Amino acid sequence: AYNSLGKYDKAIGYGQKSLEIAKEIKDRQLEGKTLFNLGNSYKALGQYDKAVEYQQQFLQLLAIFKELGSSENEAKAIAIANLGDTYHKLGQVQKAIDYYQQVLAIFKQNGNRKFEGAPLWALGTAYKDLRQYQQAIDYYQQALAIAQEIKDRQLEGNALADLGVAYESLSKYDKAIEYHLKSLTIAREIKNHLWEVKLLISLGNAYYALSKYDQSINLLS
């Protein structure tokens, strides 16, 4: 409840007490849930080293998910994805990539095509942060294909926007504008105004780089 209210310090306090009791009475199910929640709380506070500590412990308790009725592979994918995201936030991008690759392999092995889009997009973002833009583009394109296939408009819009950013980083401004415009259409469709503003700024900058000043001014004013 405190977690849902964004009162993460409070949530952690109760989580630690819960964890003590879970270990004392050997309730593996409760221990796993508590470790998972503690990892998320520390991550929300930006205390990523602590988040990794609890996420790693949760990964070691995957057997609890059999009791919950979830597949072990599904639980493993959730835990590994969380770790990848946390290492990414710690700036350990190569380590994050290793985890994202593991998540992708699990979903491919299970034939969960619709779940492949998120780790593909995460891999694209990781390579973009490493300034390896061509690899980033490759993963974003794969994520885009799946998003369009399963009709996930949010993921489709994210992939299009990030493709625009990657091409902009390569100074391929015409390509960047093409993807930003497609992403802008989706942002307006789903009424995500913050996303729309960010795209308008990106478009304005791209037009400016092409010396199309009137178009840049129209978008940015």
Side-chain angles (χ1 to χ4, degrees), residues 20 84 124 158:
E20 286 175 20
N158 286 341

Side-chain angles (χ1 to χ4, degrees), residues 56-107:
Q56 289 280 17
Q57 289 181 57
F58 173 71
L59 193 56
Q60 292 164 8
L61 284 176
L62 281 178
I64 62 164
F65 270 78
K66 291 178 182 176
E67 298 169 32
L68 294 172
S70 300
S71 72
E72 188 175 345
N73 271 350
E74 181 186 342
K76 188 175 182 181
I78 293 167
I80 293 172
N82 273 342
L83 271 168
D85 186 52
T86 307
Y87 277 119
H88 201 158
K89 286 180 165 61
L90 280 168
Q92 297 182 38
V93 184
Q94 192 55 59
K95 204 160 191 175
I97 286 171
D98 293 341
Y99 282 109
Y100 294 149
Q101 291 282 15
Q102 289 179 53
V103 176
L104 183 60
I106 290 170
F107 288 138

Side-chain angles (χ1 to χ4, degrees), residues 166-177:
Y167 277 114
E168 199 170 333
S169 300
L170 291 170
S171 300
K172 296 182 178 180
Y173 299 110
D174 286 320
K175 270 280 192 187
I177 288 167

Side-chain angles (χ1 to χ4, degrees), residues 14 22 53 61 77 80 82 101 109 120 182 187 194 216:
Y14 285 107
E53 178 187 330
L61 284 176
I80 293 172
N82 273 342
Q101 291 282 15
Q109 182 184 351
L120 285 167
K182 289 177 181 177
L194 180 59
S216 180

Side-chain angles (χ1 to χ4, degrees), residues 135-205:
Q135 282 177 284
I137 286 167
D138 180 51
Y139 282 112
Y140 285 143
Q141 289 285 13
Q142 292 180 63
L144 177 62
I146 290 174
Q148 290 171 337
E149 179 185 323
I150 65 174
K151 296 178 171 53
D152 184 335
R153 295 295 271 171
Q154 183 68 55
L155 178 59
E156 182 181 357
N158 286 341
L160 286 166
D162 285 322
L163 277 163
V165 171
Y167 277 114
E168 199 170 333
S169 300
L170 291 170
S171 300
K172 296 182 178 180
Y173 299 110
D174 286 320
K175 270 280 192 187
I177 288 167
E178 175 189 337
Y179 284 109
H180 284 322
L181 285 171
K182 289 177 181 177
S183 184
L184 182 62
T185 299
I186 295 173
R188 286 172 171 167
E189 177 190 316
I190 65 176
K191 295 180 171 54
N192 189 324
H193 300 303
L194 180 59
W195 180 13
E196 183 180 349
V197 169
K198 288 180 179 178
L199 285 165
L200 288 169
I201 292 169
S202 295
L203 278 163
N205 291 336

